[in-house]
């Protein structure tokens, strides 16, 4: 039987991955992830004088278990971001209907401020800022910086379009600020 990491690399041999393949891999290795997480986080524990326990960072090379955890968590994070894809499609459609109304735009921005200015604020930089003409989303794995993992951009087309619209309105044009100045 292949290791989970080897199994993952067999998936990515044919170019960028679809998010459905990533989700399938995550589901396949969920139980192993939980067991590995528990094992790794039970290592290097140190009891303090006050009775509390802290986990010290491991010294030396990253273990295979830690590499698996890093890969799993990086892929789980991108899947978590993908769960808003349908919502972003709805918001793009809403934006197209209201884009000429300053007051409706203000409400749209306010409604989406948490996602656009907080939760997804670094999304484009984190996943698409690896080259001038980034085609697909690049997944960074902390313990394996040399890995080339790409997720098909089409799986995030609504997220990307929403963020481009939101960023232009919020950070560049900022209708919230314009209305406040006019009052």
């Amino acid at each position: 039987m292949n290791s989970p990491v080897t199994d993952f690399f067999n998936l990515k041999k044919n170019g960028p991955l679809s998010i459905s393949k990533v989700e399938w891999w995550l589901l396949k290795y969920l139980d192993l992830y939980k067991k590995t997480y528990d094992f790794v986080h039970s290592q290097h524990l140190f009891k303090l004088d006050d009775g509390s326990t802290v986990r010290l960072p491991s010294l030396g090379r990253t273990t295979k278990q830690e590499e698996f955890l890093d890969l799993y968590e990086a892929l789980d994070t991108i899947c978590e971001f993908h769960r808003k894809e349908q919502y972003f499609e709805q918001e793009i459609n809403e934006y197209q209907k209201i884009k000429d109304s300053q007051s409706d735009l203000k409400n749209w921005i306010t409604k989406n401020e948490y996602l656009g200015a907080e939760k997804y604020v670094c999304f484009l930089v984190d996943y698409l800022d690896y080259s001038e003409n980034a085609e697909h989303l690049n997944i960074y794995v902390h313990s394996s910086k040399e890995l080339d993992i790409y997720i098909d951009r089409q799986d995030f087309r609504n997220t990307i379009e929403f963020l481009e619209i939101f960023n232009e309105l919020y950070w560049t044009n900022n209708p919230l600020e314009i209305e406040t100045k006019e009052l």
Side-chain angles (χ1 to χ4, degrees), residues 80-81 84 113-123:
E80 178 66 32
F81 279 128
K84 287 287 187 193
E113 189 170 18
Y114 168 73
L115 290 174
E118 291 183 38
K119 186 169 182 178
Y120 284 74
V121 70
C122 291
F123 182 87

Side-chain angles (χ1 to χ4, degrees), residues 118-175:
E118 291 183 38
K119 186 169 182 178
Y120 284 74
V121 70
C122 291
F123 182 87
L124 297 175
V125 171
D126 288 347
Y127 296 106
L128 288 169
D129 197 28
Y130 59 91
S131 77
E132 194 171 310
N133 297 312
E135 187 175 345
H136 299 291
L137 283 75
N138 180 264
I139 309 303
Y140 173 79
V141 179
H142 174 70
S143 62
S144 301
K145 296 168 184 71
E146 71 283 346
L147 292 180
D148 286 327
I149 301 172
Y150 295 96
I151 305 292
D152 190 337
R153 180 188 191 105
Q154 286 304 304
D155 287 343
F156 286 87
R157 67 184 170 277
N158 295 315
T159 302
I160 294 166
E161 183 178 353
F162 169 85
L163 290 172
E164 288 171 347
I165 293 167
F166 182 88
N167 289 345
E168 180 68 24
L169 293 171
Y170 190 83
W171 302 109
T172 307
N173 296 340
N174 199 345

Side-chain angles (χ1 to χ4, degrees), residues 3-65:
S3 76
V5 175
T6 303
D7 191 29
F8 177 77
F9 285 103
N10 288 335
L11 278 180
K12 73 174 211 92
K13 281 183 181 176
N14 298 325
L17 290 162
S18 67
I19 202 72
S20 60
K21 282 185 180 181
V22 172
E23 287 175 341
W24 171 83
W25 184 88
L26 289 170
L27 185 59
K28 181 177 178 180
Y29 290 106
L30 177 61
D31 289 337
L32 179 62
Y33 170 77
K34 290 176 182 178
K35 290 175 188 172
T36 305
Y37 181 90
D38 290 343
F39 172 75
V40 168
H41 290 317
S42 69
Q43 305 296 304
H44 312 291
L45 297 179
F46 181 74
K47 193 165 195 150
L48 299 174
D49 291 338
D50 67 1
S52 62
T53 304
V54 295
R55 182 174 182 268
L56 301 174
S58 62
L59 301 174
R61 296 187 62 150
T62 304
T63 65
K64 293 290 183 193
Q65 291 97 346

